[in-house]
Amino acid sequence: MRYDVTASADVENKLAEIWLRSRRRDAVRRASDRIDWLLKHYPLDQGHEYRTGRIMTVEPLTVRYIVSPDDRRVEIIDYAYNDTNGR
């Protein structure tokens, strides 16, 4: 059974800003798509516990998220760009 993945407008805007500033837009898009798929299908099997949620990296993105297993929901709370090859 799939999880419903959500993010606030601010979080979505941050991802859009990362994409706009990146020299590797295709890599950001692929990472975002992969993150979305993994969180929809296996959110508790990804990454590791971090503070009150979980954190996972799919280069060049890191995502922080909260899983609610009873509701089958995932809330993305932050994205970070990790690419050391430039913006």
Side-chain angles (χ1 to χ4, degrees):
M1 185 177 251
R2 290 173 42 154
Y3 283 72
D4 182 30
V5 179
T6 63
S8 70
D10 287 343
V11 172
E12 290 290 339
N13 288 339
K14 184 171 184 179
L15 178 59
E17 185 70 23
I18 289 169
W19 183 82
L20 285 170
R21 291 176 181 243
S22 175
R23 292 184 188 159
R24 298 179 56 217
R25 289 182 177 172
D26 195 48
V28 171
R29 182 195 52 78
R30 284 191 315 270
S32 175
D33 289 347
R34 182 72 177 152
I35 288 167
D36 189 52
W37 189 90
L38 289 168
L39 295 182
K40 282 181 183 177
H41 298 279
Y42 308 106
L44 293 170
D45 298 333
Q46 306 307 311
H48 60 273
E49 291 183 20
Y50 180 79
R51 297 184 183 171
T52 60
R54 297 188 68 78
I55 190 166
M56 149 174 81
T57 298
V58 176
E59 289 297 336
L61 295 176
T62 293
V63 62
R64 286 191 306 128
Y65 59 99
I66 298 170
V67 180
S68 179
D70 293 338
D71 298 331
R72 303 208 54 88
R73 292 185 179 273
V74 175
E75 179 184 3
I76 296 173
I77 56 175
D78 196 20
Y79 284 101
Y81 186 62
N82 309 314
D83 192 15
T84 58
N85 295 324
R87 290 177 74 92

